[in-house]
Amino acid sequence: MLTEDMDNLFGVAEEIIYRKEDTGYTVLDVASEDGELITVVGVLPEIAAGEEVHFTGNWDRHPTFGRQFRAESVERAMPSTAATMLKYLSSGAVKGVGPSTAVKIIEAFGEDAFDVIENDPERLAKIKGITAAKAKAISEEFRKTNEVREIMIKLEALGLTANESINVFRVFGGYAVLRVTENPYMLCIPEIGISFERADAIAAALPQATKPEYRIEAGILHVVAYNLSSNGHTCLPREKMLSPCSDLLDIDKDTIDIAMDTLVEQRQLTAFEMDGKEYLSLPYIHEAECMAAYKIKMMVKFPPAGRRTLDKEIEKLEKANGITYEKLQKEAIMTAAQKGVLILTGGPGTGKTTTVNGILELFERDGLNVVLCAPTGRAAQRMSEITGKEASTIHRLLEAERGSDDRMAFKRNEKNPIEADVLIVDELSMVDVILFSALLSALPIGCRLIMVGDNDQLPAVGAGSVLHDLLESGLLPVVELSEVFRQAMQSLIVTNAHRIVSGEEPDLSRVDNDFFHMERESSDKAVYDIIDLYRNRLPKAYGYDPVKDIQVLCPSRKGDTGTANLNRLLQEAVNPPAKGKNEYKNMARTFREGDKVMQIKNNYDIVWERRDARGKVEQGEGIFNGDIGTLLSIDRRAAVMKIDFGGRVATYPAESFKELELAYAVTVHKSQGSEFEAVIMPVIGVPPNLCYRNLFYTAVTRAKSKMITIGTRETILRMVENDRKIKRYSALKYLLKAE
């Protein structure tokens, strides 16, 4: 966003050092008016060497590379002197013209060169080495380049940033300006992703009025999409959408109702009836629910090949592993073998891990190829540790990539299924319906499916309540482990987790176990103790690494004990500025080498490398929402960061920095699927809407060895007593039960 206090830089583009074509992120050298060579970085249109440029932005200083200019916008003019024209043509900006040809053209025509190329190409053919056909081709390429340049300039004049203009041109091509000026609400489509409010502002600034129906339809789609993405719904009652749409657009509900019908006819919304009410959904979400329901029903109708499991086989497993399975664990192992499909649920300490290992071993003894996966990198890593077998994220297993509409797409699907005889999926509670549908679609025919999860944890961040709906449908075999093992009973984390989920007050009196509470009546005192525990007391007492082993989990982002404030203070405490330690500052955020960071949205383009024990390097793409890593290095000149996500070292270009947050403290919602040696949780100043049981339960079950709550017992009691489940509208259960 441009502000009055920004600086200006005038000059000539000298050399393009780096450019990422799909985003427009550029590093270039510019010769300023006083002859100084300045490095400019930013998301910019495709500038060629020789262009006269006027940048608006801010100066920055790097300890090694000196001054840099971080550009927010640019105005461009074609080269006006023979020298800059030569630089422009030599840069390859015009296809078919290289350095030697450029010299010939400038020597022949001087400052008239561009006019000759565009309007009188026959004269080019008089130059030795340029045929009439080549002269015509050069002229056409020059005009085409100019047209694209003019389109980009006009789009930016409408109020779009350089990055947004690149996206618009990629989608609409030569008709970009016409499409946007006719209907600026086209900018809200997923491929471009501009908010309804921005499109509204662009529309208001246009000289001609936009058709009212364009605004109404875009506003309705905005309200529906916002409610689905913010609250995890997969669909919404139509009647509940009328008022918010009417309020946003300031028009009557009848007009909204008619426009909704139009959107359904255009297939921009899907309408369907459920339990006597009409519901609305976005087509891709409803298709995912329908596909998931269809796949599950097919699996029930034509189950994978099962086999009888004898008690003697269970006894062999017990003897080999030196354990004795309890009744429900045996039932789970037998059901997995006989039915080929199983949902295994249960809280902490009930033996899910032991049971999964038994199922895994039984299938492997049969010579079956068993594949393990989980929703997040940390959950997959934990699954690998407890099974001794490699597990991957679901995204990686399905080979996720960016789709044509900027949503997720997967290389693995019905036509290219995963290679597995058995698939075991952990942490199913945090799998949304889009990912679940894609996973089912990629299962080969006859593949056995074992799904593991805890229904008392928070639901997925994305749309749907997959585990809950599957359990409620009653279609699939379910084994719920309920007996807490004696060894686990010695852990206060385990016993308190079960007390919480039962609505009982946890034991807060103990100081000699793995769960203890520090009563603090003020946020200031709580914050002081959180920092002291994180930086000093826990590392000294238990040898924990603050960044790798300790995690602060907050109910909220806001307030004294929210993630925003605590991240700032914890960064200052454990990773302060130091000579030789590079930083990146942008607005209110500072990233520093050594910081603990989290990816906050799926990015399918981030490139990473991983080196195995033998030194072999594996390369891949994609870092996903919730992945936590350590910031290894910041290269300010190249404008890239390197971040280690559990062995995957990812390279981040500057345009992706905005997708990162400090992760010394994260919300409980963001911690799903992870496990940490020690968890510190503030329980003071918690907003009423976040004071509920399964949020507290989820936080407690993230702790492996130590769980510390800091705040008031009163807050804990409010959370335990409030069994409010967040209402999620979902069609999966209905579709599963439908004939």
Side-chain angles (χ1 to χ4, degrees):
M1 184 178 292
L2 301 183
T3 59
E4 292 181 2
D5 60 349
M6 283 189 169
D7 298 311
N8 293 287
L9 173 65
F10 297 86
V12 174
E14 285 288 315
E15 181 184 0
I16 310 304
I17 298 168
Y18 170 81
R19 179 173 173 81
K20 197 167 190 296
E21 292 301 330
D22 59 341
T23 63
Y25 183 78
T26 306
V27 180
L28 73 157
D29 282 340
V30 173
S32 66
E33 290 180 312
D34 58 6
E36 183 182 3
L37 195 65
I38 303 293
T39 298
V40 176
V41 298
V43 176
L44 301 167
E46 194 165 356
I47 297 169
E51 286 193 48
E52 296 171 6
V53 286
H54 167 204
F55 295 105
T56 305
N58 294 109
W59 289 99
D60 200 2
R61 179 166 289 278
H62 187 275
T64 303
F65 302 115
R67 283 201 310 167
Q68 294 179 335
F69 195 85
R70 196 164 295 280
E72 295 290 338
S73 69
V74 61
E75 294 177 12
R76 305 149 64 198
M78 289 294 280
S80 57
T81 68
T84 55
M85 286 180 177
L86 175 61
K87 189 178 293 293
Y88 180 86
L89 292 174
S90 298
S91 72
V94 180
K95 189 177 178 182
V97 179
S100 60
T101 304
V103 170
K104 293 177 183 177
I105 292 172
I106 297 301
E107 284 179 346
F109 304 112
E111 292 183 0
D112 294 329
F114 284 2
D115 183 58
V116 170
I117 293 171
E118 184 170 11
N119 301 310
D120 201 1
E122 293 83 2
R123 293 175 64 190
L124 282 180
K126 295 178 181 178
I127 296 175
K128 187 177 180 180
I130 300 180
T131 64
K134 185 175 181 180
K136 183 180 178 183
I138 290 172
S139 180
E140 288 175 354
E141 283 295 330
F142 185 82
R143 288 197 200 99
K144 190 186 300 180
T145 301
N146 271 357
E147 285 171 10
V148 172
R149 187 173 165 280
E150 288 302 314
I151 288 170
M152 300 298 284
I153 290 170
K154 287 177 181 177
L155 288 172
E156 290 183 46
L158 292 173
L160 299 172
T161 67
N163 195 21
E164 290 166 348
S165 298
I166 290 165
N167 285 341
V168 172
F169 181 76
R170 189 188 303 125
V171 174
F172 298 129
Y175 296 98
V177 176
L178 179 64
R179 297 292 294 273
V180 172
T181 51
E182 180 187 354
N183 179 9
Y185 297 98
M186 292 290 290
L187 297 169
C188 299
I189 63 175
E191 297 94 317
I192 300 170
I194 287 176
S195 69
F196 175 77
E197 291 79 7
R198 283 278 314 285
D200 232 5
I202 291 168
L206 291 173
Q208 76 280 7
T210 303
K211 289 182 179 180
E213 57 265 34
Y214 293 155
R215 180 174 187 270
I216 293 168
E217 290 168 7
I220 292 169
L221 289 172
H222 165 73
V223 171
V224 173
Y226 175 81
N227 276 276
L228 294 178
S229 64
S230 298
N231 301 314
H233 306 303
T234 64
C235 55
L236 294 156
R238 177 168 176 156
E239 61 186 27
K240 286 186 176 289
M241 288 293 93
L242 294 173
S243 290
C245 290
S246 177
D247 293 342
L248 173 71
L249 298 167
D250 195 25
I251 56 176
D252 62 87
K253 293 180 182 178
D254 287 342
T255 304
I256 297 291
D257 214 24
I258 294 168
M260 283 179 174
D261 287 335
T262 301
L263 288 167
V264 171
E265 289 171 8
Q266 294 172 348
R267 297 187 179 181
Q268 294 191 67
L269 284 177
T270 297
F272 62 95
E273 192 173 293
M274 183 167 65
D275 297 328
K277 284 185 178 180
E278 186 176 9
Y279 283 76
L280 296 175
S281 180
L282 295 176
Y284 77 98
I285 296 180
H286 188 64
E287 286 167 12
E289 283 200 297
C290 290
M291 176 59 74
Y294 170 77
K295 288 290 185 180
I296 290 292
K297 287 196 280 190
M298 286 297 100
M299 197 169 277
V300 171
K301 190 173 181 180
F302 305 104
R307 69 167 181 83
R308 287 190 62 198
T309 303
L310 302 176
D311 289 338
K312 287 183 180 179
E313 291 179 279
I314 302 290
E315 289 172 9
K316 284 182 182 178
L317 289 175
E318 291 176 323
K319 191 172 182 180
N321 296 295
I323 58 175
T324 302
Y325 297 117
E326 59 98 11
K327 182 181 176 183
L328 286 173
Q329 289 180 304
K330 289 181 181 179
E331 182 185 330
I333 295 170
M334 289 183 172
T335 303
Q338 292 169 6
K339 303 286 188 183
V341 183
L342 172 68
I343 300 176
L344 178 65
T345 71
T350 57
K352 289 201 302 292
T353 297
T354 304
T355 308
V356 168
N357 279 332
I359 293 169
L360 172 61
E361 188 173 341
L362 187 68
F363 281 134
E364 287 191 328
R365 286 186 178 191
D366 285 346
L368 300 177
N369 176 28
V370 184
V371 173
L372 310 179
C373 66
T376 67
R378 279 183 170 265
Q381 183 180 349
R382 183 158 59 94
M383 200 179 186
S384 295
E385 290 167 358
I386 64 178
T387 62
K389 184 178 172 67
E390 184 182 356
S392 73
T393 63
I394 299 174
H395 289 92
R396 187 168 165 232
L397 178 67
L398 298 179
E399 300 178 31
E401 59 184 359
R402 186 190 301 277
S404 58
D405 59 358
D406 218 37
R407 297 192 184 99
M408 252 187 313
F410 303 97
K411 292 180 182 176
R412 295 290 183 172
N413 49 44
E414 284 180 313
K415 295 179 180 178
N416 181 30
I418 60 175
E419 296 171 7
D421 301 315
V422 182
L423 180 67
I424 302 179
V425 188
D426 198 11
E427 296 286 358
L428 188 67
S429 63
M430 63 178 299
V431 178
D432 64 52
V433 74
I434 305 295
L435 196 57
F436 185 62
S437 176
L439 186 63
L440 293 178
S441 294
L443 284 184
I445 294 172
C447 182
R448 297 149 180 84
L449 178 63
I450 312 301
M451 297 170 281
V452 185
D454 184 348
N455 196 38
D456 291 313
Q457 290 184 18
L458 290 170
V461 174
S465 302
V466 170
L467 177 57
H468 176 267
D469 287 351
L470 289 175
L471 293 172
E472 288 287 306
S473 74
L475 277 184
L476 299 177
V478 176
V479 175
E480 181 178 1
L481 302 177
S482 54
E483 181 181 330
V484 181
F485 284 84
R486 186 177 302 169
Q487 185 178 355
M489 288 289 286
Q490 296 172 8
S491 164
L492 205 55
I493 292 174
V494 172
T495 55
N496 274 345
H498 285 275
R499 290 174 72 92
I500 291 163
V501 86
S502 300
E504 300 175 36
E505 180 182 354
D507 184 352
L508 305 179
S509 63
R510 301 276 295 277
V511 293
D512 60 345
N513 207 287
D514 55 6
F515 186 122
F516 58 93
H517 173 69
M518 299 171 66
E519 185 73 13
R520 298 292 182 267
E521 294 295 332
S522 76
S523 294
D524 288 346
K525 288 181 180 178
V527 168
Y528 174 85
D529 282 314
I530 289 168
I531 295 169
D532 189 36
L533 282 164
Y534 193 95
R535 179 177 57 184
N536 301 316
R537 293 168 63 181
L538 289 175
K540 286 178 182 177
Y542 304 103
Y544 291 150
D545 180 305
V547 173
K548 294 179 181 177
D549 299 325
I550 306 172
Q551 186 62 58
V552 178
L553 296 184
C554 306
S556 174
R557 297 173 61 87
K558 300 177 181 178
D560 293 340
T561 55
T563 57
N565 186 51
L566 286 175
N567 269 319
R568 180 178 59 81
L569 296 174
L570 288 165
Q571 182 193 45
E572 187 179 307
V574 300
N575 191 30
K579 188 176 181 180
K581 187 181 286 187
N582 290 327
E583 294 183 351
Y584 169 81
K585 292 184 179 181
N586 184 24
M587 306 296 284
R589 299 189 309 165
T590 299
F591 292 113
R592 191 172 294 133
E593 290 174 346
D595 274 337
K596 185 177 186 177
V597 295
M598 173 183 276
Q599 176 75 11
I600 60 170
K601 65 176 289 188
N602 292 336
N603 187 320
Y604 315 101
D605 302 323
I606 296 290
V607 177
W608 54 261
E609 288 187 351
R610 175 166 53 194
R611 192 178 298 274
D612 64 20
R614 293 170 294 179
K616 185 179 178 182
V617 175
E618 175 192 4
Q619 291 187 323
E621 292 182 349
I623 300 294
F624 300 101
N625 187 4
D627 286 352
I628 293 177
T630 303
L631 206 169
L632 300 178
S633 65
I634 301 173
D635 185 333
R636 292 290 296 275
R637 180 169 176 80
V640 297
M641 293 181 184
K642 288 198 179 292
I643 301 172
D644 183 355
F645 291 96
R648 292 176 300 153
V649 177
T651 301
Y652 271 69
E655 72 269 18
S656 297
F657 293 176
K658 63 181 180 293
E659 298 172 1
L660 293 167
E661 286 183 351
L662 292 175
Y664 300 102
V666 302
T667 62
V668 178
H669 284 85
K670 285 288 189 182
S671 75
Q672 289 172 264
S674 298
E675 187 177 63
F676 311 96
E677 284 295 330
V679 168
I680 305 169
M681 182 181 186
V683 284
I684 187 169
V686 180
N689 65 315
L690 293 172
C691 262
Y692 57 97
R693 186 185 300 170
N694 66 342
L695 184 141
F696 188 37
Y697 173 79
T698 300
V700 171
T701 54
R702 300 307 90 203
K704 184 178 179 181
S705 302
K706 287 285 179 288
M707 177 73 201
I708 303 123
T709 54
I710 302 179
T712 68
R713 174 174 172 270
E714 180 187 355
T715 300
I716 288 175
L717 289 177
R718 282 205 309 270
M719 297 183 85
V720 172
E721 289 168 0
N722 183 6
D723 192 26
R724 174 182 68 87
K725 295 287 196 302
I726 298 173
K727 172 69 175 175
R728 284 200 171 189
Y729 291 106
S730 166
L732 182 58
K733 181 176 72 172
Y734 172 82
L735 292 167
L736 286 168
K737 289 184 172 182
E739 293 298 329

